[in-house]
C-alpha cells in the first residue's frame, strides 16, 4: 500500500507544477540561453572528481545532480542500464539538464567468486583516461548478460569489448587493463560505496540512485525501471524540491 500511495503522490506532482516542459519549450529555453545540448554521448565531458572515486559525466552547471551506484556484474544494474531509466538519464545529460555521477562497487566478486567486477571497474577507469568512459560503459553493460554467462569479465573479454569503441584500444590502455593499473581506484571506489550509508556496515545495493543528494527510497525503486516514470521522477525532484525532500 505504501508503494501505491507514493506512486500516486508522484502522479499528482507530475500532473501539476512538477510536469516536465515539452521538448519544444526546452529547446527554446536552451536556444535563448545559448547553451545547446551535446550532439551525442561521444561529446559528453567526463572527469574524475576531486574525491578520487566519483566519475562525473556532463555539464557541471546542469541543474540536477544524479549519482548512480553500480556493480558491473549486477544483473539488476544491467536491467536499469539496458531496459530502464538509464536511457532517460543519458538523454537528460546530453540535454544539459542532468549531470551524472558514478560510484562503482565490486562486491559481486566476493559473492560469486572471481574478479570480474574489479577488472571491469579498472578498465572503466582506464577508459576515462582517454575520454572514452561513457562509450565503454555502454558497451560493457550492453554485453553483460552474455559475458556473465560465458565466464565473466576477464582481461581478454574487456579488451575485445574495447574494440567496439573507436579510438579506445592502445598500448597504454591495454597495459592498464592487463596490469590492473587502477587497482587503488577500484578499492577506493568500493570503500566509498561501503560508506554511502553512513554508519551502516554495507553499501546501499546496486543500482542505487541519488537525486540532488537524496536517495530514491525503497518504495520508489520500481520507477528506476520505467523510462516515463523515471523521467517524471527526475523532473519532479528538480521542480518540486520540497516534495522530493519529504518523499
Amino acid at each position: 500500500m505504501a508503494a501505491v500511495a507514493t506512486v500516486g503522490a508522484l502522479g499528482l506532482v507530475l500532473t501539476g507544477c512538477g510536469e516536465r516542459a515539452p521538448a519544444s519549450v526546452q529547446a527554446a529555453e536552451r536556444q535563448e540561453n545559448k547553451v545547446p545540448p551535446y550532439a551525442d554521448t561521444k561529446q559528453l565531458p567526463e572527469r574524475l572528481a576531486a574525491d578520487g572515486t566519483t566519475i562525473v559525466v556532463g555539464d557541471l552547471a546542469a541543474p540536477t545532480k544524479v549519482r548512480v551506484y553500480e556493480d558491473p556484474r549486477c544483473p539488476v544494474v544491467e536491467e536499469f542500464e539496458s531496459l530502464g531509466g538509464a536511457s532517460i538519464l543519458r538523454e537528460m545529460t546530453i540535454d544539459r539538464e542532468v549531470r551524472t555521477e558514478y560510484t562503482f562497487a565490486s562486491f559481486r566478486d566476493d559473492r560469486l567468486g572471481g574478479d570480474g567486477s574489479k577488472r571491469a571497474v579498472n578498465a572503466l577507469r582506464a577508459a576515462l583516461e582517454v575520454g572514452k568512459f561513457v562509450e565503454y560503459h555502454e558497451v560493457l553493460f550492453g554485453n553483460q548478460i552474455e559475458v556473465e554467462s560465458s565466464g565473466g569479465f576477464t582481461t581478454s573479454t574487456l579488451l575485445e569489448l574495447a574494440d567496439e569503441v573507436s579510438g579506445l584500444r592502445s598500448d597504454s590502455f591495454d597495459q592498464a587493463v592487463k596490469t590492473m593499473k587502477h587497482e587503488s581506484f577500484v578499492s577506493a571506489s568500493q570503500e566509498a560505496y561501503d560508506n554511502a550509508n553512513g554508519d551502516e556496515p554495507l553499501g546501499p545495493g546496486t543500482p542505487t540512485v541519488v537525486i540532488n543528494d537524496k536517495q530514491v527510497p525503497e518504495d520508489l525503486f520500481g520507477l528506476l525501471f520505467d523510462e516515463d516514470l523515471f523521467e517524471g521522477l527526475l523532473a519532479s525532484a528538480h521542480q518540486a524540491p520540497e516534495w522530493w525532500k519529504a518523499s
Side-chain angles (χ1 to χ4, degrees):
M1 291 299 293
V4 173
T6 306
V7 173
L10 175 62
L12 291 175
V13 173
L14 298 184
T15 56
C17 62
E19 186 175 9
R20 189 181 178 198
S24 59
V25 174
Q26 295 173 39
E29 290 175 349
R30 284 195 301 269
Q31 186 174 2
E32 181 181 348
N33 295 330
K34 297 181 180 180
V35 182
Y38 300 103
D40 51 34
T41 54
K42 294 179 181 179
Q43 286 196 354
L44 286 172
E46 50 189 52
R47 63 191 67 78
L48 184 65
D51 62 13
T53 60
T54 302
I55 295 177
V56 184
V57 176
D59 188 347
L60 292 178
T64 300
K65 177 179 67 175
V66 178
R67 178 178 292 270
V68 184
Y69 293 90
E70 297 185 333
D71 186 311
R73 297 181 71 183
C74 177
V76 189
V77 174
E78 188 279 332
E79 183 179 354
F80 170 71
E81 286 290 340
S82 299
L83 302 173
S87 61
I88 294 298
L89 194 55
R90 282 189 289 273
E91 288 178 15
M92 295 179 73
T93 305
I94 289 172
D95 286 345
R96 298 180 187 263
E97 297 170 358
V98 166
R99 76 176 185 269
T100 306
E101 302 179 346
Y102 294 92
T103 299
F104 289 101
S106 49
F107 61 84
R108 294 282 289 179
D109 288 349
D110 293 334
R111 299 181 185 181
L112 301 177
D115 58 2
S117 286
K118 295 181 179 67
R119 290 194 173 277
V121 174
N122 172 76
L124 285 166
R125 176 66 181 85
L128 178 67
E129 284 197 315
V130 291
K132 299 290 184 178
F133 165 80
V134 174
E135 296 170 73
Y136 192 47
H137 178 267
E138 288 189 46
V139 168
L140 291 195
F141 280 104
N143 290 273
Q144 190 225 59
I145 294 177
E146 181 179 353
V147 168
E148 278 298 294
S149 66
S150 61
F153 288 111
T154 63
T155 297
S156 60
T157 300
L158 289 164
L159 293 176
E160 288 172 9
L161 291 175
D163 284 329
E164 298 184 23
V165 179
S166 177
L168 178 55
R169 289 293 298 271
S170 67
D171 288 342
S172 60
F173 174 81
D174 290 3
Q175 282 300 112
V177 173
K178 292 175 182 178
T179 63
M180 286 291 291
K181 175 183 176 180
H182 302 289
E183 189 169 7
S184 61
F185 170 81
V186 177
S187 299
S189 297
Q190 176 62 42
E191 184 177 355
Y193 166 81
D194 287 338
N195 293 333
N197 275 357
D199 294 333
E200 295 291 331
L202 299 175
T206 59
T208 288
V209 174
V210 179
I211 305 173
N212 291 337
D213 298 319
K214 178 178 174 60
Q215 182 176 320
V216 174
E218 185 176 351
D219 56 359
L220 290 181
F221 184 73
L223 274 62
L224 303 184
F225 305 93
D226 184 296
E227 291 184 357
D228 291 336
L229 290 178
F230 185 64
E231 181 178 19
L233 179 63
L234 286 176
S236 297
H238 172 62
Q239 297 176 13
E242 293 306 316
W243 167 81
W244 178 235
K245 287 181 181 179
S247 65

